[in-house]
Amino acid sequence: MRLRARQGEALTGRFVVPGDKSQSHRALILGALATGETVIAGLLESEDVLATAAALRAFGARVERFGPGRWRVIGGPWRSPDASIDCGNSGTSVRLLMGAAAGQGVRATFTGDASLSKRPMRRVRGPLEAMGARFEGGDTLPLTVAGPVTRGIAHVNVPASAQVKSAVLLAGLGTDQPVEVSEPVPSRDHSEIMLAEFGVAVERSGGTVRLGSQRSLSGRLVSVAGDPSSAAFALGAAAIVPGSEVRVENMLLNPHRSGFVMALQRMGADLAMSNIRGQSGETIGDVRVRFGPLFGAEFTPEEIPSMVDEIPILAVVAAGARGETRIEGLDELRHKESDRLSLMAEGLAACGVAARSEGDALVIDGGPIRGGAEVRTEGDHRIAMSHLVLGLAAEQPVTVDEADMIATSFPTFREAMRGIGARIEEVAQ
Ligand code: S3P
């Protein structure tokens, strides 16, 4: 499906954002590892998360939906599935589940779609092998976890990857040996927070996290907050579409996920946070953005992990700002669902924005946005959503060549954007 976005009225009102993808995967996986019942409210029902739910059923857990976003998981001993586990487009599913499977000592073959089959798995396989796990296959999918974790590890997490850290911590549940992960630059810490909620303490000192010695989990209630990576499309759109004012309620405000909100503030956006509170161990709150003048800014490599999935929409915001924005340290973007560094430079340039990649930096000279192009997404959901937002602020409409993959993370994107007044339509092939 091709989608086209065009400039219209100002964007206003409450943006209905679905549950956080990272929290959703983890709630299902920890529920399947726990004894007793886990009830989840606000689960993101996207293709990626549903791939995790299906995988957990194959590993023997009872995973049931009993209402919109409301799920029940009954954990228990894991079994080796008969068929291979298809993780679709989802890097989080495959990397976290490999760690969990190695920890539970089950044998499982993991597969994925064309994009996931190109992404690096050595980064997970390496530390799990250092913990004694055995693998069959290479550095990409398909890959088989063939033998259990037998020892602990002191892993140094470079480049900062929450998926790798989480795989090591989940694998570590299968040993009583010391398991620690050190991070020179911190990655998102939802696994640590949620493990503690399920009864497994994770000590933190400096940049090191260490699994506590009590490693069995008990089922519990998890409330999933609004996904800041999905909210970023509306907040970013409000910042660059004249006259807009948009608010998002109950959004995850974990500092390791708040880089985009901080970036908007640094660029001069009129942004306010309110109603800040705790929920399921996380910090959440409401965020409001009003249109106003924005200015280019510089972002350093250390800032990237806190907004790693928001770089495409940050680049769009930079296109609507006055002056130059430099975003440094984007090598990891080449290993996401697509080479996001190249595709953003290409898509923005096609829409008349002065944008280029310089090594692993993205440099954008903002100003009026011409638009009027069809952009190549290579099936990457965030490339598609970012360019649609660009179209809302451009002089001429912007079309994305393939938008079905938006369902991997944000199946209700179009309705949610239309709800604040965005003009996004399907275009005949
Ligand atoms: C995620 C971690 C990030 C992010 C991904 C979700 C997670 O990947 O890009 O969308 O839930 O742990 P890396 O940890 O590999 O950077």
Side-chain angles (χ1 to χ4, degrees):
M1 177 187 39
R2 287 156 76 215
L3 287 182
R4 179 170 296 156
R6 66 179 75 242
Q7 212 180 93
E9 306 288 297
L11 305 172
T12 54
R14 182 167 81 94
F15 184 66
V16 183
V17 68
D20 182 63
K21 182 156 76 72
S22 294
Q23 271 192 302
S24 295
H25 284 293
R26 286 159 174 81
L28 291 170
I29 295 172
L30 296 194
L33 289 167
T35 51
E37 182 179 271
T38 289
V39 172
I40 308 168
L43 190 89
L44 168 66
E45 293 171 336
S46 76
E47 288 174 5
D48 280 10
V49 174
L50 297 180
T52 288
L56 294 169
R57 287 193 189 107
F59 284 122
R62 247 177 74 197
V63 183
E64 298 161 356
R65 180 181 195 263
F66 63 94
R70 304 185 76 81
W71 288 63
R72 183 182 297 114
V73 183
I74 317 251
W78 283 34
R79 63 164 186 243
S80 301
D82 306 326
S84 54
I85 302 287
D86 182 0
C87 293
N89 193 244
S90 177
T92 309
S93 305
V94 71
R95 295 196 176 117
L96 270 58
L97 289 169
M98 273 189 197
Q104 298 306 301
V106 294
R107 180 186 171 89
T109 298
F110 292 89
T111 62
D113 70 5
S115 152
L116 190 58
S117 301
K118 280 193 245 156
R119 295 177 64 185
M121 295 299 148
R122 165 64 58 189
R123 52 181 61 195
V124 185
R125 179 181 176 160
L128 295 179
E129 281 180 333
M131 298 174 84
R134 278 182 297 108
F135 281 80
E136 291 165 9
D139 293 344
T140 52
L141 300 183
L143 199 52
T144 301
V145 175
V149 158
T150 55
R151 50 184 181 267
I153 190 172
H155 179 65
V156 181
N157 195 24
V158 177
S161 166
Q163 294 179 347
V164 174
K165 174 174 62 178
S166 303
V168 168
L169 295 175
L170 293 173
L173 298 173
T175 170
D176 53 10
Q177 303 292 306
V179 172
E180 65 174 51
V181 180
S182 307
E183 300 193 290
V185 180
S187 64
R188 65 189 68 187
D189 59 356
H190 309 302
S191 295
E192 295 91 304
I193 290 172
M194 210 181 282
L195 277 165
E197 292 280 299
F198 278 77
V200 177
V202 184
E203 300 152 29
R204 308 188 207 199
S205 54
T208 301
V209 298
R210 206 167 285 115
L211 266 189
S213 51
Q214 197 295 107
R215 295 188 185 168
S216 53
L217 287 74
S218 316
R220 56 162 299 114
L221 171 67
V222 181
S223 295
V224 177
D227 193 327
S229 302
S230 295
F233 298 108
L235 299 176
I240 59 171
V241 174
S244 298
E245 175 165 349
V246 167
R247 73 180 195 286
V248 175
E249 292 170 3
N250 308 329
M251 184 178 117
L252 190 59
L253 289 175
N254 181 314
H256 301 298
R257 296 287 298 285
S258 298
F260 179 73
V261 163
M262 309 300 284
L264 283 181
Q265 281 181 320
R266 195 182 315 160
M267 294 172 85
D270 180 350
L271 182 150
M273 286 181 251
S274 60
N275 203 13
I276 295 172
R277 59 204 190 276
Q279 178 180 280
S280 292
E282 298 276 3
T283 304
I284 71 165
D286 304 344
V287 181
R288 194 265 298 132
V289 173
R290 248 186 230 139
F291 172 77
L294 293 181
F295 304 94
E298 290 199 8
F299 299 97
T300 61
E302 298 70 41
E303 297 179 87
I304 304 306
S306 68
M307 51 176 168
V308 67
D309 293 336
E310 288 73 78
I311 302 301
I313 183 64
L314 178 62
V316 167
V317 170
R322 229 174 279 161
E324 186 179 278
T325 293
R326 267 192 94 82
I327 317 173
E328 302 268 3
L330 297 181
D331 185 52
E332 272 297 289
L333 257 68
R334 298 196 187 277
H335 308 293
K336 296 294 179 188
E337 287 82 330
S338 69
D339 175 350
R340 289 183 174 164
L341 180 49
S342 304
L343 282 186
M344 281 315 297
E346 180 186 311
L348 289 173
C351 293
V353 177
R356 61 187 191 278
S357 58
E358 268 181 20
D360 65 0
L362 188 57
V363 186
I364 296 143
D365 205 3
I369 302 163
R370 188 198 68 216
E374 173 156 335
V375 169
R376 204 162 61 87
T377 63
E378 290 201 349
D380 184 324
H381 54 135
R382 297 199 199 278
I383 298 291
M385 290 186 276
S386 299
H387 283 99
L388 290 169
V389 170
L390 186 75
L392 301 176
E395 289 153 15
Q396 295 160 42
V398 173
T399 307
V400 297
D401 66 349
E402 214 264 72
D404 296 300
M405 295 301 277
I406 290 174
T408 60
S409 68
F410 196 169
T412 52
F413 173 74
R414 259 167 89 192
E415 290 144 67
M417 291 300 292
R418 282 204 189 128
I420 54 170
R423 293 175 66 190
I424 300 179
E425 297 133 27
E426 199 170 334
V427 193
Q429 290 301 320

